Amino acid sequence: MSSNNHFQKVKFEKLSQNRKERRRDYSCGDKFIQLKKIPSWPAFYKENSYSVSTAAHPQSLVDKFKDECRYQVDAEINEKVSVFYGDITKLEIDAIVNAANNSLLGGGGVDGAIHRAAGPFLLNECQTLNGCDTGDAKITGGYDLPARYVIHTVGPIGEKPSMLEQCYRRSMQVALENNIKTIAFPCISTGVYGYPNEKAVQLVLPVVRTMLEAHKDKFERVIFCLFLDIDKKLYNRYLPIIYPLN
Ligand code: APR
């Protein structure tokens, strides 16, 4: 087997290991974060209600958005959603989503962090995928990541709502096709690709809710992995509107 295809053997081995065996090789050592340590949205709200309800942000945009949409309380859906503040490469879940580029050959930002943490076999596998169209998503092994899989999606450059919506839909579709039940998203396109953060959260939260409503029994948890303060403030403003708790 050529070194380039060696990734296939490693991928198969890793996917057939149990959790205890996989934990021996995580690039983050014991600094991984287990799903049970990530509260669902209702528990998170209870623990942080002082920050969630008063997160400072231009209220006018939030009020306008609130008036335009009326979401019902759905306790089951609320238990399937989480926010996590930190590094997506530490999450010990089924799949993390990578905000990649069309080449799938790595880059900066979260793409660079995921490739560094996964190790060289991730690139070897990506090299066999012939790139990825904007709005599409492709799956690889997770290698030395605590996540078993990486779902690579390519966001739009700039504010292109239908393309960004497609990234989230396709990533969750690929998760369904691979029986993946726990998945984490970074804030796709809002970094280097410059998608306005507030426009992104106003689109992302409803799209994920629609997908969860359509496939309730297939997902255990969808985690919004937030890295920047602006996104933490925005998600805290909009989560109570799109995933109302009472
Ligand atoms: N964990 C979670 N989120 C992260 C991490 C990390 N380790 N590192 C960065 N982020 C956040 C950024 O702060 C931003 O909020 O991910 C979000 C997406 O930003 P980018 O990584 O810049 O992704 P994007 O805007 O989609 O641009 C993609 O950048 O890195 C290149 O190869 C990539 O060309 C592609 C482009």
Side-chain angles (χ1 to χ4, degrees), residues 20-191:
K20 192 161 174 277
E21 291 164 334
R22 293 187 69 246
R23 284 178 176 178
R24 282 199 303 259
D25 301 324
Y26 290 164
S27 55
C28 63
D30 61 0
K31 295 200 177 35
F32 57 89
I33 293 153
Q34 300 174 63
L35 180 65
K36 67 182 179 185
K37 300 281 186 201
I38 302 174
S40 64
W41 160 231
F44 176 88
Y45 184 85
K46 220 175 273 167
E47 286 164 27
N48 301 278
S49 52
Y50 66 90
S51 73
V52 174
S53 52
T54 56
H57 210 81
Q59 191 55 36
S60 55
L61 272 179
V62 179
D63 286 341
K64 182 174 174 303
F65 184 84
K66 202 170 183 174
D67 294 342
E68 286 163 4
C69 54
R70 287 269 175 273
Y71 286 90
Q72 300 301 316
V73 174
D74 184 325
E76 194 181 355
I77 291 263
N78 287 342
E79 287 302 324
K80 292 178 183 289
V81 166
S82 290
V83 279
F84 169 76
Y85 295 168
D87 181 356
I88 203 167
T89 68
K90 300 285 188 302
L91 297 180
E92 189 181 54
I93 57 175
D94 290 347
I96 58 172
V97 175
N98 181 22
N101 58 55
N102 296 117
S103 74
L104 287 189
L105 300 181
V110 69
D111 193 5
I114 288 173
H115 274 273
R116 278 192 300 278
F121 290 118
L122 177 61
L123 180 59
N124 291 158
E125 181 168 7
C126 285
Q127 285 165 334
T128 68
L129 298 179
N130 299 319
C132 181
D133 292 338
T134 301
D136 196 4
K138 293 189 176 179
I139 191 167
T140 65
Y143 300 100
D144 293 342
L145 285 163
R148 291 165 53 77
Y149 294 94
V150 181
I151 294 176
H152 307 262
T153 190
V154 181
I157 298 176
E159 187 180 347
K160 299 182 181 81
S162 60
M163 274 294 159
L164 187 64
E165 174 168 349
Q166 239 184 284
C167 287
Y168 283 81
R169 284 184 181 282
R170 270 298 295 146
S171 297
M172 290 181 78
Q173 193 60 42
V174 167
L176 289 168
E177 290 160 4
N178 291 273
N179 196 26
I180 285 166
K181 301 193 176 315
T182 56
I183 181 170
F185 285 98
C187 298
I188 297 165
S189 274
T190 64

